[in-house]
Amino acid sequence: MNIGDVAQRCGLPAKTIRYYEDIGLIEPLRGANGYRRFRESDLHKLAFLGRARSLGFSIEDCRTLLTLYRDRARASADVKQVAQDHLACIDRKIGDLTQMRQTLSHLVEACAGDERPDCPILADLANLTQGQPCHGQSN
Amino acid sequence: MNIGDVAQRCGLPAKTIRYYEDIGLIEPLRGANGYRRFRESDLHKLAFLGRARSLGFSIEDCRTLLTLYRDRARASADVKQVAQDHLACIDRKIGDLTQMRQTLSHLVEACAGDERPDCPILADLANLTQGQPCHGQSN
DNA sequence: CCTTGACCCTCCCTTTACTGGAAGGTATTG
DNA sequence: CAATACCTTCCAGTAAAGGGAGGGTCAAGG
């Protein structure tokens, strides 16, 4: 299989597949013409990677997960650890974003949004010493 | 004021302040020795930037917001638009992360986390065609 | 006067996970 | 045999800085 077909089948852009080879996540064979030749196992790995990435795992996490996947003697605890760490990371991000969202939505609601220049959003950005908003805790 | 004092006062690393000058967000003066010399107005701008960045605005948004801030003839509608777009962006991110979180937390809960190799997390990553998880909708 | 240490300067590399494009080789189709 | 659609590598760029090298400057102390 050439890269185009693989891209089609696993839903990853060809560029990304080449990149994954570059960084050593996959090792497709090469034909006499220099084209990459993908086996089913490569396709499988790429699907694994695509799925892991879509769950937000970093490339390094993906590398670890692939290794664990290949390792028949793995402990599921190791996999779980990776996933839990990532979950914690996601929770942190959600928390940060939720904070921002709250502050921002208050400000947006308070803004008239007309032709006049007065704007509580700008006022908030301008007046506050970092980390001390006027309506609660900031970040 | 030298960059160190400014960094102290506005809570941004000196590196970041230099970077903001590089990309044209601020224009501190220069002393005869080549050192940057910051006015109060620069400090003010930097505080503004720090606050805007902490709310998750992109650098380009910050540039726009600073321009609007400086423009006494602005319409608050323009500011509101920027903020609303950003809010929508945040909501999208929260949505994506929440999706991931849900799938991932299910998987983590289902994983024994012991020394045995069997792992529903790996099974999920390996078995699924992209976008079709076994327990509901994926992404 | 000289040195020491704390500043400051610029410049370049690194990060994450790709994406885009140029320049060129190959395979297929008409 | 040409056009088109593949494929190849390499280089550059993205966001928003962070790290560190190599070197200039400033204030204080001996």
Side-chain angles (χ1 to χ4, degrees):
Chain A
M1 243 185 316
N2 283 344
I3 201 168
D5 308 314
V6 176
Q8 202 76 43
R9 287 230 261 156
C10 73
L12 293 172
K15 276 270 183 190
T16 299
I17 297 172
R18 291 196 194 97
Y19 174 65
Y20 286 174
E21 182 188 11
D22 260 17
I23 62 175
L25 285 178
I26 54 170
E27 287 187 65
L29 304 172
R30 291 293 177 136
N33 54 10
Y35 287 18
R36 289 169 183 81
R37 247 181 38 225
F38 296 84
R39 291 152 291 186
E40 281 302 320
S41 65
D42 295 317
L43 204 74
H44 196 174
K45 269 194 191 178
L46 285 169
F48 185 103
L49 289 169
R51 172 77 177 150
R53 291 287 301 132
S54 83
L55 286 180
F57 284 106
S58 73
I59 290 285
E60 282 320 301
D61 281 349
C62 289
R63 197 188 299 279
T64 304
L65 290 171
L66 258 186
T67 302
L68 285 168
Y69 180 57
R70 289 275 174 233
D71 178 11
R72 315 290 265 110
R74 69 186 166 250
S76 68
D78 292 341
V79 183
K80 189 169 185 172
Q81 189 60 58
V82 172
Q84 269 177 333
D85 288 354
H86 179 43
L87 195 53
C89 177
I90 287 177
D91 282 341
R92 239 178 299 117
K93 285 183 187 167
I94 290 178
D96 289 352
L97 287 170
T98 302
Q99 262 305 321
M100 288 180 192
R101 208 216 104 87
Q102 188 164 11
T103 303
L104 207 51
S105 67
H106 282 324
L107 291 173
V108 165
E109 277 165 33
C111 177
D114 53 21
E115 314 86 44
R116 286 170 303 166
D118 313 85
C119 176
I121 303 170
L122 291 180
D124 180 285
L125 294 174
N127 288 333
L128 296 164
T129 342
Q130 228 174 350
Q132 303 181 33
C134 50
H135 41 249
Q137 70 286 22
S138 82
N139 51 351
Chain B
M1 242 186 317
N2 283 343
I3 201 168
D5 309 313
V6 175
Q8 201 76 43
R9 288 229 262 155
C10 72
L12 294 172
K15 274 273 183 188
T16 299
I17 297 172
R18 291 197 193 96
Y19 173 64
Y20 286 175
E21 183 189 11
D22 259 17
I23 62 175
L25 285 178
I26 54 170
E27 287 187 65
L29 304 171
R30 292 291 177 137
N33 54 10
Y35 287 18
R36 289 170 183 81
R37 249 181 36 224
F38 296 84
R39 293 151 291 187
E40 281 301 320
S41 64
D42 295 316
L43 203 74
H44 196 174
K45 270 193 191 180
L46 286 168
F48 185 102
L49 289 169
R51 172 77 177 149
R53 291 288 300 132
S54 83
L55 286 180
F57 285 106
S58 72
I59 291 284
E60 282 319 303
D61 280 349
C62 289
R63 197 188 297 279
T64 304
L65 290 170
L66 258 186
T67 302
L68 285 168
Y69 180 57
R70 289 277 175 232
D71 178 11
R72 316 290 266 109
R74 70 185 164 250
S76 68
D78 293 340
V79 183
K80 188 170 186 172
Q81 189 61 59
V82 173
Q84 269 177 332
D85 289 354
H86 179 43
L87 195 54
C89 176
I90 287 177
D91 282 340
R92 239 178 298 117
K93 285 183 185 166
I94 290 178
D96 290 352
L97 287 170
T98 303
Q99 262 305 321
M100 289 179 192
R101 207 215 105 86
Q102 189 165 9
T103 302
L104 207 50
S105 67
H106 282 324
L107 292 173
V108 165
E109 277 165 34
C111 178
D114 54 21
E115 314 87 44
R116 286 170 304 166
D118 313 86
C119 176
I121 302 171
L122 291 180
D124 180 286
L125 293 174
N127 288 332
L128 297 164
T129 342
Q130 226 174 354
Q132 301 182 35
C134 51
H135 40 250
Q137 71 285 22
S138 84
N139 51 351

